[in-house]
Amino acid sequence: MTEAVEYDVVVLGGGPAGENIVDRTRAAGLSTAVVESELVGGECSYWACVPSKALLRPVLARADARRVPGLAGAVGGPLDAPAVFAHRDYWTGSWKDDGQVDWLDSIGTHLYRGHGRLYGTRKVAVTSPEGEHHVLSARHAVVVATGSRAVVPDLPGMAGARPWTSREATSAQEAPGRLLIVGGSVVAAEMATAWQGLGSQVTVLVRGSRLLPRMEPFAGELVADALREAGAVVRTGVAVEAVVRDGSTGPVTVVLEGGETLVGDELLMATGRSPRTEDIGLETVGLAPGEWIGVDESCRVPGHDWLYAVGDVNHRALLTHQGKYQARIAGAAIAARAASAAADTEADTGRWGAHAATADTLALPQVVFTDPEAAAVGLGLAEAERAGHRVRAVDYDLGKVSGAGLYADGYRGRARMVVDLDREVLLGATFVGPGAAELLHSATIAVAAEVPIERLWHAVPAFPTISEIWLRLLEEYRG
């Protein structure tokens, strides 16, 4: 190994979480290096959030247009799939990271391309694609932001079947004739929506009882109903036992429990994520390779006052926006601790403190970009009850709001708010319906700020907008 190059902060991973750490530490005047083995910008920019939404947007826009009188007849044909793919490619930079690298250069961050591993306390060893070796030393902090990868279960025949993961599903250049999707997750629901809309015949196989099991039950039910109406097949309570691929490019056969077989042209396994920590040197600092990295509220690893983990890798909230949020929190904590001789005294890690990622557990927002959209923040009803809160759920038919009726003929949706009866504040809210994603941030503010129900009564929604759902929910609560 060469002599160590010293920085204030070394970031292992240049995805969205890593980029936000860099942004905060550089803003605080700390010298920072980032190590990235693939593309700067990470999973979200090239194989997840950005390309998936580029594929989904025309599908959802067409679905909305088909519900508007005077427009429905003009959008009856198929989508221009090559144009959709070209737009997706534009938003991914055709899988080139020049723009992201230019940004790092503009703020004075040194990029090391290659495989990085912890090399003991406060050190990271980097092997470049050309075989060069570097050792980076951190005065104040090393931040692990290596993310997660798709899990493909080790079933008979799976290795030879070459299944899609989320990466292939968001980067494919043509729609398969028949697409089998295994899983009930967000990836499964969104990719079923996208590819059914782009011309594939989609079959979704869910081991559990419904799609989107982490959301309120009605969310998955409404999404499944819409997928079926669009022509997809959604089956619940089924398990895959084996997979068989016919040659190198032939169809793929899925064998279900009981022996039933289904045939498709491609198979997407949307069955969870695992941490990218198996070969990053965790064993050199007493941590277990291949495991999620536990952290405190400031995203610092207990027992290591110099080591932080942000984004998917800490398993707090596997969402890009939460990883970026954690990075902002951790970056501020690193800067504050670097400015103080006493490592802990100045860090504000109490509930909702400047150096505490409290929203991960109390006000976590999520949108599923299906038709209908499903958006939720905070605790669902069952989750709130398990946590010991005395709560009441208030539901309302979103389609009965005037703004929803004007948005689309036959609008179908549902809204729920979960109220803490002891404090009379919102613990959570869920909205399912076309355009429902744009309702979410108002709910996020109400939950994160713990706005009293009585004050929410004075937040008057404009007429006629879908946001009038807030008034209807509050009226239902008051009785």
Side-chain angles (χ1 to χ4, degrees), residues 36-53 55 88 91-92 94-97 148 165-172 187 191 273 276:
E36 176 53 54
S37 61
E38 293 188 288
L39 297 175
V40 177
E43 198 81 10
C44 175
S45 298
Y46 305 103
W47 301 287
C49 318
V50 171
S52 67
K53 302 316 167 283
L55 294 175
R88 182 268 320 273
W91 276 97
T92 62
S94 295
W95 291 276
K96 296 177 182 177
D97 62 1
S148 65
T165 66
S166 51
R167 286 197 169 194
E168 290 77 19
T170 56
S171 62
V187 170
M191 290 298 93
R273 310 285 298 180
R276 296 180 58 155

Side-chain angles (χ1 to χ4, degrees), residues 117-118 144 146 274-294 301-302 304 307 309 313-314:
R117 303 180 83 254
L118 294 173
V144 178
T146 50
S274 63
R276 296 180 58 155
T277 61
E278 69 282 0
D279 187 24
I280 62 168
L282 290 182
E283 68 280 2
T284 70
V285 295
L287 299 175
E291 299 294 326
W292 305 102
I293 302 175
V301 179
H304 302 76
L307 183 61
V313 75
N314 65 31

Side-chain angles (χ1 to χ4, degrees), residues 20-37:
N20 274 260
I21 279 282
V22 168
D23 182 58
R24 292 296 83 214
T25 55
R26 288 298 299 129
L30 300 177
S31 62
T32 304
V34 62
V35 181
E36 176 53 54
S37 61

